[in-house]
Amino acid sequence: MEGWYMPQMTTEGHGLEANIALKGVAKIGVYDNYNVFIDLFNEDDFKTVWFNRIIEIEGMQMWLQKWSPDFKPEEDLPIAPAWVLIPGLPFHMHDWYYIKQLLSSVGRPLALDVATFGRTRPSMANMRVEVNLLKPLPDSVFVGQEDDESPLKGFTQKLEYEEVPKYCKHCRKLGHNMINRRVLEKKMLPPMKEIKSLLKRSHKTKVSC
């Protein structure tokens, strides 16, 4: 796992355990002034840390992302956990096996929420899924079965999403998308009247030797 935008950290007393309850040991390796590597030896600890996505240490935020061999210090990976909400899913399908198959086209299943796991919310099932932010997320999937005697039977299941981070394809950074980037660029540009005024002044300026 990788974290970035961190205060000064050392391998000793990094403060991670003070912010998140860990079952095992966490080792910190400082890559540069903006990136650190967090080595976790427990699968539950990995999920606990990664699902937080943002951790605050000493008043500063650390953004988290899953480690990949494609790591580049100047870019954020477009892989992130997000919640997939499945309203109206038949109650007999509120099971890890069924939901895992149902959301296979969305991304890699990670965990059910407490209510789905405990089967205490019959109206909706929720699963956290690892999604690729560069790919469109489907708003529905087909649920059905096929046998020798009948053609495909089933229904279209609606999907909803929560906590999907924004990702800019241009900057390759998390936290904003292309639309937000254009808005920021427009705010940074001077008004058109000011631009025209500057152009007129430049034309009137004469250079003398």
Side-chain angles (χ1 to χ4, degrees):
M1 176 169 290
E2 178 212 348
W4 68 98
Y5 301 146
M6 279 297 298
Q8 290 295 322
M9 294 184 66
T10 60
T11 55
E12 299 294 334
H14 46 70
L16 189 62
E17 294 92 340
N19 291 268
I20 297 179
L22 300 178
K23 297 179 180 179
V25 178
K27 292 185 178 181
I28 298 291
V30 179
Y31 182 85
D32 56 26
N33 290 334
Y34 297 96
N35 297 275
V36 297
F37 292 168
I38 305 173
D39 203 359
L40 299 165
F41 300 89
N42 183 292
E43 181 68 21
D44 291 336
D45 286 346
F46 170 79
K47 291 181 179 179
T48 299
V49 173
W50 193 40
F51 290 174
N52 275 273
R53 290 225 311 257
I54 300 176
I55 302 174
E56 187 170 307
I57 299 179
E58 298 179 7
M60 299 185 69
Q61 288 186 338
M62 176 172 71
W63 289 62
L64 302 168
Q65 66 176 351
K66 185 179 179 180
W67 160 255
S68 168
D70 298 324
F71 165 75
K72 295 180 181 179
E74 69 279 3
E75 296 181 1
D76 298 340
L77 294 173
I79 306 298
W83 282 108
V84 184
L85 283 56
I86 317 172
L89 183 70
F91 190 56
H92 71 278
M93 298 184 70
H94 286 219
D95 176 82
W96 169 265
Y97 174 78
Y98 281 112
I99 300 176
K100 177 182 178 181
Q101 298 298 319
L102 184 70
L103 300 182
S104 60
S105 62
V106 178
R108 188 171 75 89
L110 297 173
L112 298 173
D113 73 344
V114 175
T116 305
F117 181 79
R119 297 172 64 84
T120 58
R121 187 186 53 232
S123 61
M124 178 183 293
N126 294 347
M127 174 178 274
R128 199 188 295 265
V129 176
E130 179 181 292
V131 298
N132 188 331
L133 301 174
L134 294 178
K135 297 180 179 180
L137 298 175
D139 56 9
S140 64
V141 292
F142 185 81
V143 182
Q145 57 184 1
E146 189 175 12
D147 55 42
D148 297 334
E149 298 180 358
S150 62
L152 193 64
K153 293 182 179 180
F155 60 94
T156 299
Q157 174 62 54
K158 179 182 178 182
L159 302 179
E160 300 174 1
Y161 299 89
E162 286 185 352
E163 299 183 15
V164 180
K166 296 178 180 178
Y167 189 81
C168 181
K169 296 179 181 179
H170 179 80
C171 300
R172 307 287 294 185
K173 290 288 184 180
L174 287 164
H176 69 277
N177 54 24
M178 287 292 291
I179 296 175
N180 299 130
R181 176 184 172 84
R182 293 191 184 102
V183 171
L184 289 172
E185 287 176 344
K186 287 181 179 179
K187 289 182 178 180
M188 293 174 65
L189 288 172
M192 185 56 65
K193 290 183 179 179
E194 186 175 336
I195 294 175
K196 290 181 179 179
S197 176
L198 290 172
L199 289 173
K200 288 181 180 179
R201 291 177 188 174
S202 64
H203 286 306
K204 291 180 180 180
T205 303
K206 294 182 179 180
V207 179
S208 57
C209 298

